[in-house]
Amino acid sequence: MFLRRKHTQKDDPEQRDAKVSELRTAIGPLSGRSSMYCTNACLRRYLEARNWNVDKAKKMLEESLKWRSTYKPEEIRWHEVAHEGETGKVSRANFHDRQGRTVLIMRPGMQNTTSAENNIRHLVYLLENAILNLSEGQEQMSWLIDFTGFSLSTSVPIRTARDIIYILQSHYPERLAIAFLYNPPRFFEAFYKAVKLFLDPKTAQKVKFVYPKNKDSVELMQSYFDVENLPGEFGGNATLNYDHEEFSRLMAQDDVKTAKFWGIDEKPHQIGNGHSVAPEPAPIAQRAN
């Protein structure tokens, strides 16, 4: 007797689409920003994060909608978190990876503040900004983490790391494609072992330790990035110069795009040079988180 091969949602587009429709029915009518947020692509990400179990995806999505309604990540503006970014500890790169994904550059050695709440708010702002700047049809981002200057005194507390992981995994499911931890010091391994306890297995698989003198590491990096775009801190040929005033100008422009996308009516804010920024935003695709 032959057994019929069981198709999974991952290899059957019709089943995937059916699951998306089932989830949409399960969550019921939505309005306002919740309706904008829950695109089909969004529902697929929540289903993927819960192995295509509709009930579990529904619970996860409802928790995210509740979090977004109170935390209001789409209302955070650069001028509110700019002080956190003065050293360039987290910034959006001016290049994409080979798949067209937005790249966030993180430099934990440049930590400049001690407020866990403000650190998290700054990161959430940049997650939202990275999503805003995804290439058409792209849902995920890449992280490059540079450990230059990293020490125990500059590392975020385990509790803060846990809270960041919770937000990323619970409210930004399937947004992270890969995270490269570039040349971390040996003592970081103990820190990571503690942090890894909070990572689900799928997220943990996306974290890659890479070292400049390791052939496999170099090849892995080059498979994801053009070395001409990649900063020297990550083994590339480009130069990473974080200019806070220039980055602030770019973020102010993106804040206008964000407000227009979500239908938020607001006045422009001043940036470092004292001039207000309110350019006519370029159209962006509807790819709410």
Side-chain angles (χ1 to χ4, degrees):
M1 207 172 163
F2 293 99
L3 294 175
R4 180 179 298 175
R5 180 177 179 271
K6 184 178 180 181
H7 288 273
T8 65
Q9 281 75 22
K10 286 191 175 183
D11 59 21
D12 191 328
E14 290 186 5
Q15 285 192 40
R16 289 200 301 265
D17 291 343
K19 289 286 186 179
V20 170
S21 297
E22 188 179 342
L23 177 57
R24 187 169 294 285
T25 300
I27 60 177
L30 297 170
S31 61
R33 297 179 196 173
S34 292
S35 177
M36 295 178 65
Y37 179 78
C38 292
T39 62
N40 284 345
C42 171
L43 268 54
R44 287 191 193 97
R45 288 188 292 100
Y46 279 83
L47 284 162
E48 178 72 28
R50 289 296 177 261
N51 201 28
W52 295 87
N53 182 301
V54 173
D55 289 338
K56 291 181 179 180
K58 175 177 179 285
K59 180 181 179 181
M60 185 185 192
L61 179 55
E62 287 175 341
E63 289 173 352
S64 285
L65 292 176
K66 182 178 180 180
W67 175 77
R68 294 187 70 89
S69 70
T70 54
Y71 200 86
K72 300 185 186 301
E74 73 280 2
E75 291 187 12
I76 303 173
R77 295 295 174 260
W78 178 249
H79 72 278
E80 301 171 23
V81 297
H83 63 285
E84 289 286 337
E86 287 178 352
T87 59
K89 65 186 178 188
V90 185
S91 62
R92 175 169 57 82
N94 61 359
F95 59 90
H96 290 73
D97 69 11
R98 292 188 185 276
Q99 301 300 316
R101 291 182 285 240
T102 306
V103 178
L104 283 186
I105 294 178
M106 302 180 180
R107 299 191 287 176
M110 306 296 286
Q111 181 60 252
N112 60 325
T113 63
T114 58
S115 168
E117 181 180 348
N118 289 340
N119 267 288
I120 293 171
R121 192 169 174 82
H122 175 241
L123 179 60
V124 166
Y125 171 88
L126 285 162
L127 289 174
E128 293 282 320
N129 182 266
I131 292 165
L132 177 75
N133 285 282
L134 287 172
S135 300
E136 187 68 34
Q138 184 54 259
E139 288 286 306
Q140 296 184 309
M141 67 187 79
S142 295
W143 290 4
L144 287 173
I145 305 175
D146 170 26
F147 282 88
T148 301
F150 179 79
S151 66
L152 290 176
S153 63
T154 61
S155 63
V156 298
I158 294 292
R159 183 174 180 177
T160 303
R162 181 196 64 189
D163 291 344
I164 289 171
I165 290 169
Y166 174 79
I167 289 174
L168 177 69
Q169 292 184 158
S170 301
H171 306 313
Y172 295 90
E174 297 301 312
R175 282 301 193 188
L176 179 64
I178 193 164
F180 288 105
L181 279 59
Y182 195 80
N183 203 27
R186 189 177 296 273
F187 68 81
F188 177 78
E189 293 178 9
F191 178 85
Y192 182 71
K193 283 181 180 179
V195 167
K196 193 175 180 181
L197 296 174
F198 308 114
L199 292 176
D200 66 43
K202 289 183 68 175
T203 302
Q205 290 178 359
K206 297 175 180 179
V207 178
K208 307 295 182 183
F209 282 70
V210 294
Y211 301 91
K213 295 182 180 180
N214 181 285
K215 181 182 178 182
D216 291 339
S217 290
V218 172
E219 290 179 352
L220 182 63
M221 289 288 288
Q222 292 181 359
S223 71
Y224 277 85
F225 299 97
D226 183 339
V227 293
E228 296 305 316
N229 293 330
L230 200 61
E233 287 83 351
F234 300 100
N237 298 330
T239 301
L240 175 60
N241 286 323
Y242 178 75
D243 183 324
H244 187 60
E245 185 168 326
E246 173 63 16
F247 192 74
S248 294
R249 186 184 68 81
L250 293 174
M251 293 303 98
Q253 290 176 344
D254 278 357
D255 282 351
V256 177
K257 295 181 188 179
T258 299
K260 185 173 183 180
F261 176 81
W262 291 105
I264 302 170
D265 185 22
E266 58 185 33
K267 295 180 180 179
H269 293 278
Q270 290 189 340
I271 57 175
N273 60 8
H275 297 105
S276 61
V277 176
E280 181 62 30
I284 59 174
Q286 281 231 348
R287 46 179 179 269
N289 308 3

